[in-house]
Amino acid sequence: MRSCKKLFYGIFICFYSPLCIGQAVETEDSSHYIRLKASNKYSRGPIHRFFWGNHYRQEWQEPVTFRKVLLDTLAGGLIPYQLGGGRQSKSIRVTDKDNREYVFRSIDKSFGKALPEILQGSFIESIADGQVTISHPYSVMVVAPLAEAAHIYHTNPELFYVPKQPALGKFNDSAGNTLYSFEQRPDEDWETAQNFGNSKKIISTDKMLEKILADNDNTIDQQLFARSRLFDMLIGDWGRHEDQWRWASFKDDKKTLYAPIPRDRDNAFTKFDGFLLNLIIPAANAKHLQTFDHKIKDVARLNFPARNLDHHLLNQVTLQEWIAIATDIKTRLTDNIIENAVKQMPPEVYPISGAEITAKLKSRREMLPEYAAEYYRFLSDEVEITGTEKAELFEVKRLSDEETEVSLYKITKEGNTKAKPFFHRTFKTNETTQLRLYGIAGNDEYKITGQVKKGIKIRLIGGVDKDKYQDESTVGGPSHKTKIYDNYGNDISTSKETVVNLSKSQAINQYDFKYFNYNKKGLAPKIFYNNED
């Protein structure tokens, strides 16, 4: 929800309607159940709703029956060890008797606590808090069965009310008497969890990136990542930044394959309505905040928070593969699967928005292959391919005016080049304007061949060690389609096609994972704040 809290940093309020606060309903049906609203904070008057949105306010205020749980009996007994969740939500991390981790995540949140201190306690904080209702309080219950049918990894959330109890220990006062979603926490050893691929070692995104840049024996399951990202688009989950993923690892001799595990599905099915809110979103350059509707308004913008991961980890998936994966998801998510998944939300809430969400999911499912092709074309315009800290051969063949082939091979410690590449893809001239090949480190070799009339611009960014370049290619006209960036002291053999850029600074070799940004042009309003104002 990082982008949501940014929306309210710079709001200049020209109109504000009084809040209309409802009453909480917390009457017990029995000693094991409680009936209450997801929150009692979001009742607002009609004027306020016109300007700041209806969202899912009715769902948040509908009383629902929840099961009460005790930590010493749930999942064989759980021990709390840490509170988390930052300023927006509350969470309790717990372990079971086998030291597997779970997490309780509060259903209700607070966007206002993420505002600058000067705005804390003001009516702007109340407005920001009201925007929690852009999210459906029970979306997590719908996503899991859909993900299972789509063949991607997922958690299996359950909704529980956690009353105050001795088992909470020192967290009793701050964490008790709260409604939570309860799920596995994908971290470390989950060999027992089929929904995580029975992985013995699950790691963070930062650790995964470190591993795949360190050694070319470490690779990503790009097909499964593409499948997971298409599923994100299906459910409108726009917040897929780096921390929203964990990575299951699977070893095979010296090689390790990393597979994506999505987490935190709060952003599924979000609604951004309201007159002022729809003015603020483009002014705040937050166009990825798109309402979950029958169609995706802008596929590329929806995926903006995931731009760095997508450009780094989806560079080998072809157009045919994107469309095949999308078609497979479309086939698996039958009408019956979608209808039953949406019915996993509480029966008290289903009549409010269940039919609407079902219809939108079916519509987006039908268009998924089209969205896959559109996103492929966006990602394929500028492509980066990274080596590792080990030695590699980067082989580029300009096959024809229409195609350029790129292969990366491992060079062993003995100096032998492996016969099978660990990266291979043929790029289309009409799809890709430039390729950036990063050596990272190690004694790398670059070889470019082929005589064509037109071709893709190739940028070779050497690593910090001594590299060897051999450009034997030509492209029609004074094109200079091969550009080398490195330090002095490397072995460089050029053709008339080559432009060599050398520097004493190691900054010329630097690979920045978070370099990518979207091109922008034209005029747009901008909002901001400063403490003096």
Side-chain angles (χ1 to χ4, degrees), residues 216-247:
N216 46 45
D217 283 334
N218 302 327
T219 56
I220 291 293
D221 189 338
Q222 293 204 14
Q223 297 276 321
L224 183 56
F225 189 49
R227 178 177 291 268
S228 302
R229 294 293 292 114
L230 283 168
F231 184 81
D232 296 337
M233 298 178 215
L234 174 77
I235 63 174
D237 193 346
W238 45 263
R240 307 311 300 166
H241 55 79
E242 291 83 354
D243 194 45
Q244 301 291 61
W245 301 88
R246 291 295 182 265
W247 301 86

Tab-separated table of all heavy atoms in Angstrom, residues 216-247:
chain	number	residue	atom	x	y	z
A	216	ASN	N	26.159	-18.369	-12.158
A	216	ASN	CA	25.268	-18.727	-13.254
A	216	ASN	C	24.640	-20.109	-13.111
A	216	ASN	O	23.841	-20.524	-13.961
A	216	ASN	CB	25.983	-18.606	-14.610
A	216	ASN	CG	27.370	-19.230	-14.586
A	216	ASN	OD1	27.557	-20.321	-14.078
A	216	ASN	ND2	28.352	-18.510	-15.143
A	217	ASP	N	24.983	-20.849	-12.062
A	217	ASP	CA	24.269	-22.089	-11.748
A	217	ASP	C	22.965	-21.816	-11.004
A	217	ASP	O	22.179	-22.742	-10.765
A	217	ASP	CB	25.154	-23.016	-10.893
A	217	ASP	CG	26.209	-23.725	-11.733
A	217	ASP	OD1	25.985	-23.911	-12.947
A	217	ASP	OD2	27.270	-24.089	-11.183
A	218	ASN	N	22.741	-20.563	-10.616
A	218	ASN	CA	21.505	-20.168	-9.940
A	218	ASN	C	20.599	-19.459	-10.950
A	218	ASN	O	20.992	-18.452	-11.541
A	218	ASN	CB	21.799	-19.238	-8.769
A	218	ASN	CG	22.724	-19.871	-7.745
A	218	ASN	OD1	22.686	-21.086	-7.531
A	218	ASN	ND2	23.551	-19.058	-7.111
A	219	THR	N	19.401	-19.978	-11.141
A	219	THR	CA	18.507	-19.423	-12.146
A	219	THR	C	17.089	-19.267	-11.592
A	219	THR	O	16.757	-19.784	-10.530
A	219	THR	CB	18.461	-20.320	-13.399
A	219	THR	OG1	18.088	-21.651	-13.011
A	219	THR	CG2	19.802	-20.348	-14.101
A	220	ILE	N	16.257	-18.562	-12.370
A	220	ILE	CA	14.867	-18.287	-12.010
A	220	ILE	C	13.930	-19.130	-12.874
A	220	ILE	O	14.184	-19.324	-14.064
A	220	ILE	CB	14.547	-16.790	-12.232
A	220	ILE	CG1	15.299	-15.934	-11.226
A	220	ILE	CG2	13.049	-16.514	-12.105
A	220	ILE	CD1	14.849	-16.113	-9.800
A	221	ASP	N	12.854	-19.595	-12.287
A	221	ASP	CA	11.793	-20.227	-13.059
A	221	ASP	C	10.974	-19.113	-13.709
A	221	ASP	O	9.967	-18.657	-13.166
A	221	ASP	CB	10.912	-21.087	-12.149
A	221	ASP	CG	9.912	-21.938	-12.929
A	221	ASP	OD1	9.607	-21.573	-14.079
A	221	ASP	OD2	9.423	-22.942	-12.374
A	222	GLN	N	11.436	-18.645	-14.873
A	222	GLN	CA	10.795	-17.509	-15.525
A	222	GLN	C	9.382	-17.844	-15.997
A	222	GLN	O	8.497	-16.971	-16.010
A	222	GLN	CB	11.648	-17.015	-16.698
A	222	GLN	CG	12.977	-16.405	-16.276
A	222	GLN	CD	13.523	-15.425	-17.307
A	222	GLN	OE1	12.831	-14.997	-18.221
A	222	GLN	NE2	14.786	-15.052	-17.151
A	223	GLN	N	9.147	-19.074	-16.370
A	223	GLN	CA	7.807	-19.467	-16.811
A	223	GLN	C	6.802	-19.334	-15.661
A	223	GLN	O	5.697	-18.806	-15.846
A	223	GLN	CB	7.832	-20.916	-17.314
A	223	GLN	CG	8.718	-21.142	-18.520
A	223	GLN	CD	8.032	-20.805	-19.824
A	223	GLN	OE1	6.857	-21.073	-20.001
A	223	GLN	NE2	8.770	-20.221	-20.754
A	224	LEU	N	7.180	-19.784	-14.484
A	224	LEU	CA	6.279	-19.687	-13.334
A	224	LEU	C	6.118	-18.240	-12.887
A	224	LEU	O	5.035	-17.827	-12.458
A	224	LEU	CB	6.791	-20.543	-12.170
A	224	LEU	CG	5.887	-20.589	-10.932
A	224	LEU	CD1	4.479	-21.065	-11.293
A	224	LEU	CD2	6.492	-21.482	-9.848
A	225	PHE	N	7.182	-17.441	-13.021
A	225	PHE	CA	7.062	-16.036	-12.664
A	225	PHE	C	6.108	-15.321	-13.625
A	225	PHE	O	5.277	-14.510	-13.203
A	225	PHE	CB	8.439	-15.361	-12.662
A	225	PHE	CG	8.429	-13.961	-12.097
A	225	PHE	CD1	7.822	-13.677	-10.894
A	225	PHE	CD2	9.021	-12.922	-12.802
A	225	PHE	CE1	7.801	-12.378	-10.373
A	225	PHE	CE2	9.006	-11.628	-12.296
A	225	PHE	CZ	8.401	-11.357	-11.078
A	226	ALA	N	6.201	-15.623	-14.918
A	226	ALA	CA	5.261	-15.044	-15.880
A	226	ALA	C	3.832	-15.459	-15.558
A	226	ALA	O	2.893	-14.647	-15.636
A	226	ALA	CB	5.633	-15.468	-17.299
A	227	ARG	N	3.642	-16.703	-15.192
A	227	ARG	CA	2.315	-17.194	-14.809
A	227	ARG	C	1.802	-16.434	-13.575
A	227	ARG	O	0.631	-16.019	-13.526
A	227	ARG	CB	2.387	-18.702	-14.521
A	227	ARG	CG	1.076	-19.325	-14.065
A	227	ARG	CD	1.248	-20.831	-13.884
A	227	ARG	NE	1.432	-21.501	-15.152
A	227	ARG	CZ	0.435	-22.008	-15.879
A	227	ARG	NH1	-0.814	-21.909	-15.460
A	227	ARG	NH2	0.683	-22.607	-17.016
A	228	SER	N	2.669	-16.242	-12.605
A	228	SER	CA	2.283	-15.527	-11.386
A	228	SER	C	1.935	-14.073	-11.687
A	228	SER	O	0.992	-13.513	-11.116
A	228	SER	CB	3.413	-15.596	-10.353
A	228	SER	OG	3.734	-16.941	-10.041
A	229	ARG	N	2.687	-13.452	-12.588
A	229	ARG	CA	2.431	-12.055	-12.917
A	229	ARG	C	1.130	-11.903	-13.724
A	229	ARG	O	0.397	-10.921	-13.544
A	229	ARG	CB	3.616	-11.496	-13.718
A	229	ARG	CG	4.902	-11.424	-12.907
A	229	ARG	CD	4.792	-10.377	-11.786
A	229	ARG	NE	4.729	-9.046	-12.383
A	229	ARG	CZ	3.682	-8.254	-12.316
A	229	ARG	NH1	2.583	-8.610	-11.681
A	229	ARG	NH2	3.708	-7.065	-12.891
A	230	LEU	N	0.822	-12.845	-14.568
A	230	LEU	CA	-0.452	-12.797	-15.285
A	230	LEU	C	-1.615	-12.960	-14.316
A	230	LEU	O	-2.666	-12.319	-14.477
A	230	LEU	CB	-0.497	-13.886	-16.362
A	230	LEU	CG	0.308	-13.583	-17.629
A	230	LEU	CD1	0.439	-14.830	-18.492
A	230	LEU	CD2	-0.332	-12.458	-18.425
A	231	PHE	N	-1.422	-13.775	-13.309
A	231	PHE	CA	-2.456	-13.931	-12.283
A	231	PHE	C	-2.657	-12.624	-11.523
A	231	PHE	O	-3.788	-12.246	-11.198
A	231	PHE	CB	-2.081	-15.057	-11.323
A	231	PHE	CG	-3.131	-15.342	-10.286
A	231	PHE	CD1	-4.240	-16.118	-10.596
A	231	PHE	CD2	-3.019	-14.829	-9.006
A	231	PHE	CE1	-5.214	-16.379	-9.637
A	231	PHE	CE2	-3.984	-15.073	-8.045
A	231	PHE	CZ	-5.090	-15.860	-8.369
A	232	ASP	N	-1.555	-11.909	-11.242
A	232	ASP	CA	-1.666	-10.587	-10.610
A	232	ASP	C	-2.558	-9.666	-11.431
A	232	ASP	O	-3.385	-8.922	-10.892
A	232	ASP	CB	-0.280	-9.944	-10.463
A	232	ASP	CG	0.639	-10.703	-9.534
A	232	ASP	OD1	0.142	-11.443	-8.669
A	232	ASP	OD2	1.864	-10.561	-9.682
A	233	MET	N	-2.354	-9.683	-12.740
A	233	MET	CA	-3.157	-8.826	-13.616
A	233	MET	C	-4.625	-9.244	-13.601
A	233	MET	O	-5.522	-8.402	-13.634
A	233	MET	CB	-2.607	-8.875	-15.041
A	233	MET	CG	-1.182	-8.369	-15.184
A	233	MET	SD	-0.587	-8.530	-16.889
A	233	MET	CE	1.138	-8.929	-16.603
A	234	LEU	N	-4.860	-10.540	-13.552
A	234	LEU	CA	-6.227	-11.041	-13.521
A	234	LEU	C	-6.991	-10.484	-12.324
A	234	LEU	O	-8.134	-10.032	-12.462
A	234	LEU	CB	-6.220	-12.576	-13.469
A	234	LEU	CG	-7.587	-13.233	-13.276
A	234	LEU	CD1	-8.374	-13.229	-14.577
A	234	LEU	CD2	-7.442	-14.652	-12.740
A	235	ILE	N	-6.380	-10.488	-11.151
A	235	ILE	CA	-7.083	-10.060	-9.937
A	235	ILE	C	-6.856	-8.574	-9.628
A	235	ILE	O	-7.313	-8.079	-8.606
A	235	ILE	CB	-6.667	-10.922	-8.724
A	235	ILE	CG1	-5.175	-10.765	-8.402
A	235	ILE	CG2	-7.017	-12.392	-8.959
A	235	ILE	CD1	-4.733	-11.486	-7.135
A	236	GLY	N	-6.137	-7.877	-10.516
A	236	GLY	CA	-5.930	-6.444	-10.329
A	236	GLY	C	-4.969	-6.101	-9.212
A	236	GLY	O	-5.046	-5.009	-8.642
A	237	ASP	N	-4.033	-6.999	-8.896
A	237	ASP	CA	-3.088	-6.762	-7.802
A	237	ASP	C	-1.926	-5.920	-8.329
A	237	ASP	O	-0.981	-6.429	-8.910
A	237	ASP	CB	-2.583	-8.090	-7.244
A	237	ASP	CG	-1.847	-7.922	-5.921
A	237	ASP	OD1	-1.504	-6.775	-5.579
A	237	ASP	OD2	-1.619	-8.932	-5.239
A	238	TRP	N	-2.000	-4.611	-8.096
A	238	TRP	CA	-1.048	-3.663	-8.680
A	238	TRP	C	0.201	-3.457	-7.834
A	238	TRP	O	1.142	-2.820	-8.284
A	238	TRP	CB	-1.740	-2.297	-8.856
A	238	TRP	CG	-2.534	-1.877	-7.649
A	238	TRP	CD1	-3.874	-2.034	-7.469
A	238	TRP	CD2	-2.053	-1.239	-6.469
A	238	TRP	NE1	-4.254	-1.532	-6.234
A	238	TRP	CE2	-3.149	-1.034	-5.611
A	238	TRP	CE3	-0.782	-0.813	-6.050
A	238	TRP	CZ2	-3.030	-0.445	-4.354
A	238	TRP	CZ3	-0.657	-0.225	-4.800
A	238	TRP	CH2	-1.774	-0.049	-3.970
A	239	GLY	N	0.262	-3.984	-6.633
A	239	GLY	CA	1.362	-3.647	-5.718
A	239	GLY	C	2.447	-4.683	-5.620
A	239	GLY	O	2.943	-4.976	-4.535
A	240	ARG	N	2.902	-5.238	-6.747
A	240	ARG	CA	3.814	-6.379	-6.688
A	240	ARG	C	5.277	-5.961	-6.687
A	240	ARG	O	6.090	-6.406	-7.506
A	240	ARG	CB	3.534	-7.331	-7.852
A	240	ARG	CG	2.086	-7.789	-7.993
A	240	ARG	CD	1.499	-8.291	-6.700
A	240	ARG	NE	2.244	-9.418	-6.182
A	240	ARG	CZ	2.108	-9.877	-4.946
A	240	ARG	NH1	1.287	-9.279	-4.103
A	240	ARG	NH2	2.800	-10.903	-4.548
A	241	HIS	N	5.655	-5.116	-5.747
A	241	HIS	CA	7.061	-4.719	-5.608
A	241	HIS	C	7.870	-5.847	-4.980
A	241	HIS	O	7.340	-6.916	-4.636
A	241	HIS	CB	7.162	-3.431	-4.795
A	241	HIS	CG	6.485	-3.509	-3.460
A	241	HIS	ND1	7.050	-4.130	-2.370
A	241	HIS	CD2	5.284	-3.044	-3.041
A	241	HIS	CE1	6.246	-4.047	-1.332
A	241	HIS	NE2	5.144	-3.398	-1.707
A	242	GLU	N	9.153	-5.618	-4.797
A	242	GLU	CA	10.076	-6.683	-4.419
A	242	GLU	C	9.708	-7.383	-3.115
A	242	GLU	O	9.876	-8.604	-2.980
A	242	GLU	CB	11.504	-6.120	-4.313
A	242	GLU	CG	12.124	-5.722	-5.624
A	242	GLU	CD	11.734	-4.339	-6.110
A	242	GLU	OE1	10.861	-3.699	-5.474
A	242	GLU	OE2	12.281	-3.884	-7.124
A	243	ASP	N	9.196	-6.633	-2.140
A	243	ASP	CA	8.916	-7.238	-0.830
A	243	ASP	C	7.646	-8.083	-0.836
A	243	ASP	O	7.341	-8.742	0.148
A	243	ASP	CB	8.802	-6.141	0.237
A	243	ASP	CG	8.859	-6.700	1.641
A	243	ASP	OD1	9.731	-7.553	1.903
A	243	ASP	OD2	8.009	-6.319	2.481
A	244	GLN	N	6.905	-8.077	-1.947
A	244	GLN	CA	5.673	-8.863	-2.026
A	244	GLN	C	5.938	-10.291	-2.511
A	244	GLN	O	4.996	-11.025	-2.793
A	244	GLN	CB	4.675	-8.197	-2.982
A	244	GLN	CG	4.287	-6.782	-2.596
A	244	GLN	CD	3.437	-6.734	-1.343
A	244	GLN	OE1	3.882	-7.150	-0.278
A	244	GLN	NE2	2.230	-6.248	-1.458
A	245	TRP	N	7.222	-10.669	-2.576
A	245	TRP	CA	7.580	-11.999	-3.071
A	245	TRP	C	8.547	-12.692	-2.128
A	245	TRP	O	9.393	-12.056	-1.501
A	245	TRP	CB	8.230	-11.897	-4.451
A	245	TRP	CG	7.375	-11.263	-5.482
A	245	TRP	CD1	7.277	-9.928	-5.774
A	245	TRP	CD2	6.460	-11.913	-6.371
A	245	TRP	NE1	6.379	-9.710	-6.788
A	245	TRP	CE2	5.856	-10.916	-7.162
A	245	TRP	CE3	6.095	-13.248	-6.563
A	245	TRP	CZ2	4.917	-11.212	-8.144
A	245	TRP	CZ3	5.156	-13.543	-7.551
A	245	TRP	CH2	4.577	-12.539	-8.319
A	246	ARG	N	8.411	-14.003	-2.047
A	246	ARG	CA	9.428	-14.874	-1.479
A	246	ARG	C	9.763	-15.906	-2.544
A	246	ARG	O	9.019	-16.088	-3.510
A	246	ARG	CB	8.945	-15.530	-0.189
A	246	ARG	CG	8.786	-14.561	0.974
A	246	ARG	CD	10.132	-13.981	1.383
A	246	ARG	NE	10.035	-13.073	2.526
A	246	ARG	CZ	9.931	-11.766	2.430
A	246	ARG	NH1	9.876	-11.203	1.221
A	246	ARG	NH2	9.876	-11.010	3.498
A	247	TRP	N	10.886	-16.617	-2.368
A	247	TRP	CA	11.399	-17.472	-3.433
A	247	TRP	C	11.746	-18.857	-2.901
A	247	TRP	O	12.631	-19.010	-2.049
A	247	TRP	CB	12.617	-16.811	-4.083
A	247	TRP	CG	12.242	-15.478	-4.650
A	247	TRP	CD1	12.204	-14.288	-3.995
A	247	TRP	CD2	11.746	-15.216	-5.968
A	247	TRP	NE1	11.744	-13.291	-4.814
A	247	TRP	CE2	11.450	-13.824	-6.039
A	247	TRP	CE3	11.544	-16.008	-7.096
A	247	TRP	CZ2	10.955	-13.235	-7.196
A	247	TRP	CZ3	11.058	-15.421	-8.248
A	247	TRP	CH2	10.768	-14.047	-8.294
